[in-house]
């Protein structure tokens, strides 16, 4: 009994300290709680149940501070794209199909590439911050922005030729022409992505999420009012809708950068512009490319679903119904992306700080929490299956088609409650190249061929295409679960230290 009392005392002490630290306003509160989490998990004198419950309480506090603002940011940013599609959809079924094809078929190409390349900053900044190498974060931010801006140039050329590209891919000339008009207005958005994603990852690595949430919320309110004015009152239609979306993204970028420059919370990580941003670019590009390939293969996967749907017998109805489901899926997916960001930050920070047990435990907690939320949302979607399409369009045919696809949507949402979180773990560990190979096999060798077989050969239409691609996602999710379960986290700490030493060794040479 005496031993039990001593154990309880040991439990209460770090737990109370962690609770106190988590409510302080100090910039290092998260780091203090993180260190106490490792000590709780390492205390073998405590019973396993008490250790887990205490660690869960500490980890949940950390995750709420990270995931909640991250979910808000990603959901609001997606709501801007979603609202643009809604405004376009109420112009007519053709406009809805065009906005869907332009947004999901073309714009997601740039989004995946830019977000993927930006995740290199997520790995390096997260691990550098955990290791207290604060001065390198600003350099990584600038270096990534330079690379992404350069990448934006060929993407802008691709946007300019969107109509012939869509026609070449088999889309109808009418839908391709309308989609091209929408895409032209998204050209400025490419370069907003190039600036936004490095800034976003830079702030995330420091657990600074709330300012981005406030900025995004204010921008969304302005975006909705101005989009209504531009599309309906000024009559600028599809082009006006997409141009307004580009302007809103640039507003977010400018506001976030002003925060970085003026905030005391970034005084150690942002020390001004540096010529180091233009040095060491080839090596940085290799890491960025591996990150881009991993996430591009993932984001393009469902983009291909929309493109294939345009080849079905009734392409307008197929595209319209799928666009509704994909838009809802994408919006709910932003919750998982928020947990993805939280998982990446937690894992990279813990690995940089040399806390293997905390990294492993964080993976478990964030995955379970994201999965539970995704199941709840899936049930709600199923209950509303006959009504959700009316948010986007008034067509009865579209409503029936969406209702038939809703069970597939619900299963996709459940998978998306797990898979993005594990992808965030991969980014936090720097496994981008490995996951890229997994994505190729599961998505492009299994998922897409199976979807085409079910959709065209067995004549199951959009439901068949989607079912096959869900099979690829399920396979990928199971592989990531198995790999994460078998991870040696002590070895991952050593790899993180090697990675940081490699990049830091280049720093003095760059200053000369």
């Amino acid at each position: 009994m005496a031993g039990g009392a001593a154990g309880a005392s040991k439990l209460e002490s770090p737990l109370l300290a962690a609770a106190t630290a988590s409510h302080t306003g100090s910039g290092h509160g998260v780091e203090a709680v993180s260190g106490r989490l490792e000590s709780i998990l390492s205390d073998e004198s405590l019973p396993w149940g008490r250790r887990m419950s205490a660690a869960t309480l500490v980890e949940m506090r950390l995750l709420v501070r990270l995931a909640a603002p991250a979910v808000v940011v990603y959901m609001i940013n997606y709501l801007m794209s979603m609202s643009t599609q809604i405004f376009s959809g109420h112009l007519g079924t053709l406009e809805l199909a065009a906005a869907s094809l332009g947004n999901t078929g073309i714009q997601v190409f740039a989004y995946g590439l830019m977000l993927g390349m930006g995740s290199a900053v997520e790995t390096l900044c997260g691990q550098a911050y955990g290791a207290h190498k604060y001065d390198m974060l600003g350099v990584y931010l600038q270096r990534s922005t330079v690379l992404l801006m350069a990448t934006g140039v060929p993407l802008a050329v691709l946007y300019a030729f969107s109509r012939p590209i869509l026609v070449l891919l088999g889309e109808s000339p009418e839908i391709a022409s309308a989609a091209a008009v929408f895409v032209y207005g998204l050209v400025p958005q490419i370069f907003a992505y190039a600036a936004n994603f490095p800034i976003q990852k830079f702030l995330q690595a420091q657990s600074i999420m709330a300012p981005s949430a406030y900025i995004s919320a204010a921008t969304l309110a302005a975006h909705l009012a101005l989009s209504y004015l531009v599309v309906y009152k000024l009559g600028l239609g599809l082009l006006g809708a997409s141009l307004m979306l580009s302007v809103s993204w640039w507003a977010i970028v400018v506001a976030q950068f002003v925060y970085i420059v003026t905030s005391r919370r970034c005084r150690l990580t942002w020390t001004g512009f540096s010529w180091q941003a233009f040095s060491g670019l080839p090596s940085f590009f290799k890491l960025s490319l591996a990150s881009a390939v991993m996430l591009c293969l993932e984001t393009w996967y469902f983009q291909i679903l929309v493109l294939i749907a345009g080849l079905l017998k009734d392409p307008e109805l197929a595209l319209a119904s799928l666009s509704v489901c994909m838009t809802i899926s994408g919006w709910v997916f932003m919750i998982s992306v928020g947990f993805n960001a939280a998982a990446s930050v937690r894992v990279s920070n813990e690995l940089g700080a040399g806390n293997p047990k905390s990294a492993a435990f964080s993976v478990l907690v964030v995955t379970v929490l994201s999965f539970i939320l995704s199941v709840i949302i899936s049930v709600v979607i199923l209950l509303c299956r006959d009504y959700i399409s009316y948010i986007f369009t008034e067509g009865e045919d579209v409503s029936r088609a969406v209702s038939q696809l809703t069970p597939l949507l619900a299963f996709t949402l459940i998978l998306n409650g797990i898979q993005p979180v594990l992808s965030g773990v991969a980014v936090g560990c720097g496994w981008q190249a490995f996951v890229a190979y997994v994505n190729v096999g599961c998505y492009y060798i299994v998922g897409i061929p199976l979807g085409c077989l079910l959709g065209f050969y067995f004549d199951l239409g959009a439901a068949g295409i989607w079912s096959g691609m869900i099979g690829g996602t399920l396979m990928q999710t199971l592989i990531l679960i198995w790999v994460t379960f078998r991870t040696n986290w002590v070895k991952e700490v050593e790899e993180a230290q090697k990675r940081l030493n490699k990049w830091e060794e280049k720093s003095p040479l760059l200053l000369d």
Side-chain angles (χ1 to χ4, degrees), residues 78 81 85 99-116 155 158-159 182-183 186 189-190 193 197 245 292 295-307 326-327 330 333-334 444:
Y78 189 82
S81 295
Q85 199 158 312
S100 170
L101 194 58
N103 216 8
T104 311
I106 298 293
Q107 179 261 354
V108 170
F109 179 85
Y111 183 90
L113 184 62
M114 292 296 187
L115 179 61
L155 286 176
L158 182 70
Y159 274 38
F182 184 84
V183 168
L186 296 179
Q189 187 189 46
I190 299 172
Y193 284 162
F197 291 132
L245 185 59
L295 288 182
C296 283
L297 291 173
E298 200 165 300
T299 55
W300 295 346
Y301 187 49
F302 285 98
Q303 174 190 10
I304 291 172
L305 168 63
V306 175
L307 292 173
M326 287 294 99
T327 302
F333 184 72
M334 292 302 106
Y444 297 90

Side-chain angles (χ1 to χ4, degrees), residues 105-106 162-172 307-308 310-311:
I106 298 293
S162 57
R163 184 189 181 281
I165 290 172
L166 289 172
V167 172
L168 185 65
L169 290 173
E171 307 299 335
S172 71
L307 292 173
I308 294 174
L311 305 177

Side-chain angles (χ1 to χ4, degrees), residues 139-466:
V139 175
Y140 295 150
L141 165 63
Q142 295 173 61
R143 197 171 292 166
S144 180
T145 304
V146 169
L147 281 176
L148 266 65
M149 284 290 181
T151 305
V153 175
L155 286 176
V157 175
L158 182 70
Y159 274 38
F161 290 95
S162 57
R163 184 189 181 281
I165 290 172
L166 289 172
V167 172
L168 185 65
L169 290 173
E171 307 299 335
S172 71
E174 186 181 16
I175 295 178
S177 297
V181 171
F182 184 84
V183 168
Y184 296 153
L186 296 179
V187 171
Q189 187 189 46
I190 299 172
F191 299 97
Y193 284 162
N196 178 73
F197 291 132
I199 288 174
Q200 202 173 61
K201 305 306 180 184
F202 170 86
L203 291 171
Q204 283 178 10
Q206 303 170 69
S207 302
I208 302 174
M209 300 299 298
S212 295
Y214 296 138
I215 290 168
S216 296
T219 305
L220 175 63
H223 174 76
L224 293 174
L226 293 174
S227 292
Y228 178 82
L229 178 67
V230 168
V231 174
Y232 299 126
K233 299 302 180 181
L234 299 181
L236 295 182
L238 285 173
L239 182 61
S242 57
L243 278 173
M244 198 62 246
L245 185 59
S246 294
V247 171
S248 297
W249 269 94
W250 268 110
I252 290 174
V253 169
V254 172
Q256 287 184 136
F257 183 69
V258 169
Y259 175 83
I260 289 173
V261 173
T262 58
S263 173
R264 286 184 55 80
R265 296 179 70 183
C266 299
R267 67 187 184 279
L268 298 178
T269 53
W270 176 264
T271 55
F273 292 102
S274 170
W275 286 110
Q276 294 183 53
F278 299 95
S279 303
L281 289 177
S283 298
F284 200 87
F285 178 73
K286 290 179 181 178
L287 180 61
S288 297
L289 189 61
S291 302
V293 169
M294 184 195 92
L295 288 182
C296 283
L297 291 173
E298 200 165 300
T299 55
W300 295 346
Y301 187 49
F302 285 98
Q303 174 190 10
I304 291 172
L305 168 63
V306 175
L307 292 173
I308 294 174
L311 305 177
L312 294 170
K313 295 175 182 178
D314 189 352
E316 193 169 308
L317 179 61
L319 281 172
S321 59
L322 270 176
S323 76
V324 171
C325 290
M326 287 294 99
T327 302
I328 294 170
S329 174
W331 187 62
V332 177
F333 184 72
M334 292 302 106
I335 298 175
S336 297
V337 171
F339 282 103
N340 169 292
S344 177
V345 172
R346 291 289 299 119
V347 170
S348 60
N349 283 177
E350 296 293 359
L351 293 180
N355 298 330
K357 292 182 179 179
S358 296
F361 188 75
S362 179
V363 171
L364 177 63
V365 174
V366 71
T367 303
V368 171
L369 183 59
S370 179
F371 174 72
I372 292 172
L373 284 175
S374 68
V375 171
I376 294 172
I377 293 170
S378 297
V379 172
V380 173
I381 293 292
L382 283 172
L383 293 175
C384 301
R385 60 187 297 178
D386 294 325
Y387 312 104
I388 53 177
S389 69
Y390 293 112
I391 300 172
F392 303 88
T393 183
E394 298 169 3
E396 294 290 336
D397 292 340
V398 175
S399 177
R400 285 192 292 270
V402 169
S403 181
Q404 292 172 1
L405 291 174
T406 303
L408 294 176
L409 172 61
F411 190 68
T412 300
L413 295 181
I414 292 174
L415 283 180
N416 286 345
I418 304 173
Q419 183 271 332
V421 176
L422 297 180
S423 292
V425 174
V427 171
C429 295
W431 298 341
Q432 289 95 325
F434 165 75
V435 178
Y437 289 117
V438 174
N439 289 353
V440 168
C442 296
Y443 290 164
Y444 297 90
I445 297 178
V446 176
I448 292 176
L450 181 59
C452 290
L453 184 68
L454 294 174
F456 293 98
Y457 184 79
F458 290 97
D459 200 25
L460 296 178
I465 296 171
W466 199 350

Side-chain angles (χ1 to χ4, degrees), residues 8-93:
S9 176
K10 289 180 181 178
L11 170 65
E12 290 166 5
S13 178
L15 188 55
L16 179 61
T20 304
S22 68
H23 288 286
T24 61
S26 65
H28 300 286
V30 173
E31 295 176 45
V33 179
S34 172
R36 287 174 175 81
L37 175 61
E38 186 74 12
S39 67
I40 292 172
L41 292 169
S42 301
D43 192 350
E44 299 289 343
S45 66
L46 292 175
W48 183 86
R50 285 187 174 182
R51 220 184 322 151
M52 291 301 102
S53 61
T56 300
L57 183 59
V58 174
E59 181 63 31
M60 286 295 290
R61 284 174 176 157
L62 288 167
L63 283 177
V64 167
R65 294 179 63 177
L66 284 170
V71 168
V72 171
V73 169
Y74 284 108
M75 289 188 74
I76 288 176
N77 289 348
Y78 189 82
L79 270 174
M80 288 199 302
S81 295
M82 185 176 174
S83 65
T84 298
Q85 199 158 312
I86 291 172
F87 282 124
S88 302
H90 284 285
L91 292 171
T93 303

